Amino acid sequence: MTKHVRWGILSTAQIAQDELLPAFRDATNAKVVAIASTNDKVKHIASKFDIPKIYGSYDELLEDSGIDAVYIPLPNSLHSQWVKRAAEKGKHILCEKPAVLNTREAEEVIETCKKNNVMFMEAFMYQFHPQHQRVKEMLISGEIGEVNIMKVSLSFYLENQNENIRMRQELGGGSLYDVGCYCIHSIRNILNTEPNRIFASQQKDVKGQVDMSVVCFMELDNGMTAVFDAAMDRAQIDYYEIIGTKGSIRVPKAFIPQMYNGEAQIIVNTTDGAYREEKVLGHQYILEVEYFSQCVLNGEISRSMMEDTIENVKVIEACFKSIEKETFIDI
């Protein structure tokens, strides 16, 4: 068996250039062997990252029998189409978030991947940073008592809005799809629970096309509550906090610790006056690539990891419905 997975990249998206291609280069079990794009930058990118093959179309790349898996960082509205096409060509798929825009697309994607015996994972890279496993260990140990609420904030200021695909509704733009999906995923992931009732509100851009910010309140199926705000019209904020009966855990670099060379911080306060900080180092994009590549090499990925996309988009859909109806929505 080969010791590394042979990857193809669909497009020259900025996230691929900035984060994933460096991660593939540094991963121990993955190698990018091809990239497909009509963009003039593709030759420079291929040279920079030592990618031997360049294809002028995505379909050409998918026909290459020397490729085991593909990474798809296309505009959100194109994810479902190209995931299914890649699956039909027998390629395993790592797809940028949000991998789909609604539950119907999610179910079709998973069904197509299963039918063609390929693995699929939505690229929520943050979950592979070891800080989150450490937080889960703290919660299980009862260090902050019984958990009552989790608060999540993730925002950034979107420059050059007129030129950015995040401002185009038809491409799956808006803050809920772009950063709110992380907030929802982190609540479900860290607390190991699902929302059963939510209320959401939004603020749109001046043209009324996409949501620039979303705030959501959740009632969770284990009795806890959660609140998140996601935005692309304000200063960068990147944290979550969990509050229990005996203390709190704050994670101030929850989603983009790569901006701090992979170093994250966990701050614990307890009602008996104890306070401590823990530093946790990890390179989440490399860990993401190595995790999925190892799944491919092993021939197995957990069912929950594949189907997690369905559960996450159910909540996104409920948020949009709550915004439209201006009321609580049962999930």
Side-chain angles (χ1 to χ4, degrees), residues 136-308:
K136 291 179 183 181
E137 292 169 359
M138 292 176 178
L139 297 180
I140 292 171
S141 73
E143 187 165 353
I144 62 168
E146 183 178 341
V147 174
N148 298 123
I149 188 169
M150 180 171 176
K151 304 176 182 180
V152 187
S153 290
L154 183 57
S155 64
F156 68 101
Y157 187 79
L158 181 62
E159 303 282 357
N160 303 316
Q161 294 182 7
N162 292 335
E163 303 170 12
N164 199 291
I165 62 173
R166 293 177 178 87
M167 299 298 295
R168 295 176 61 179
Q169 186 181 42
E170 71 275 16
L171 295 182
S175 62
L176 183 56
Y177 279 135
D178 195 60
V179 286
C181 63
Y182 284 112
C183 300
I184 293 166
H185 192 277
S186 65
I187 291 165
R188 297 177 48 254
N189 174 31
I190 304 299
L191 298 184
N192 190 29
T193 187
E194 297 293 341
N196 57 32
R197 191 166 180 256
I198 67 101
F199 180 86
S201 64
Q202 70 174 4
Q203 289 183 313
K204 282 195 169 185
D205 69 291
V206 293
K207 296 181 181 179
Q209 295 299 305
V210 299
D211 52 284
M212 297 301 290
S213 66
V214 172
V215 177
C216 180
F217 171 82
M218 297 180 176
E219 296 176 357
L220 308 178
D221 61 13
N222 57 6
M224 302 176 193
T225 56
V227 180
F228 79 79
D229 64 273
M232 53 187 195
D233 63 353
R234 62 191 66 162
Q236 183 173 297
I237 297 294
D238 165 36
Y239 86 95
Y240 65 74
E241 184 175 23
I242 303 168
I243 303 172
T245 54
K246 296 181 180 180
S248 66
I249 299 170
R250 185 178 177 89
V251 181
K253 303 172 184 176
F255 300 100
I256 47 175
Q258 70 271 19
M259 295 186 65
Y260 312 94
N261 296 316
E263 184 177 272
Q265 184 182 25
I266 302 172
I267 303 169
V268 183
N269 282 283
T270 58
T271 53
D272 61 6
Y275 172 92
R276 79 172 191 279
E277 296 182 13
E278 293 186 16
K279 292 183 178 180
V280 184
L281 183 66
H283 298 287
Q284 58 192 22
Y285 284 102
I286 297 174
L287 293 169
E288 174 185 55
V289 168
E290 290 183 339
Y291 172 85
F292 190 73
S293 295
Q294 196 58 50
C295 289
V296 172
L297 293 174
N298 293 343
E300 183 178 10
I301 190 171
S302 70
R303 178 172 179 170
S304 62
M305 185 63 81
M306 283 191 65
E307 298 189 350
D308 194 55

Side-chain angles (χ1 to χ4, degrees), residues 100-119:
V100 295
L101 299 181
N102 53 60
T103 302
R104 176 188 57 79
E105 284 187 354
E107 291 173 344
E108 288 177 355
V109 159
I110 300 304
E111 180 182 358
T112 303
C113 289
K114 289 181 176 179
K115 180 180 177 181
N116 290 278
N117 198 30
V118 300
M119 297 173 214

Side-chain angles (χ1 to χ4, degrees), residues 29-89:
N29 57 0
K31 181 175 178 59
V32 176
V33 298
I35 186 169
S37 178
T38 57
N39 194 307
D40 292 339
K41 297 184 295 185
V42 68
K43 291 182 180 179
H44 170 73
I45 294 168
S47 175
K48 179 179 178 180
F49 292 100
D50 297 319
I51 303 172
K53 297 180 184 178
I54 298 174
Y55 288 105
S57 73
Y58 305 146
D59 281 315
E60 284 183 274
L61 185 148
L62 295 178
E63 292 290 345
D64 188 337
S65 61
I67 294 173
D68 306 307
V70 293
Y71 168 60
I72 301 178
L74 297 168
N76 298 338
S77 59
L78 298 178
H79 287 173
S80 174
Q81 169 190 345
W82 285 101
V83 167
K84 288 186 286 187
R85 198 169 298 186
E88 289 164 354
K89 295 298 180 179

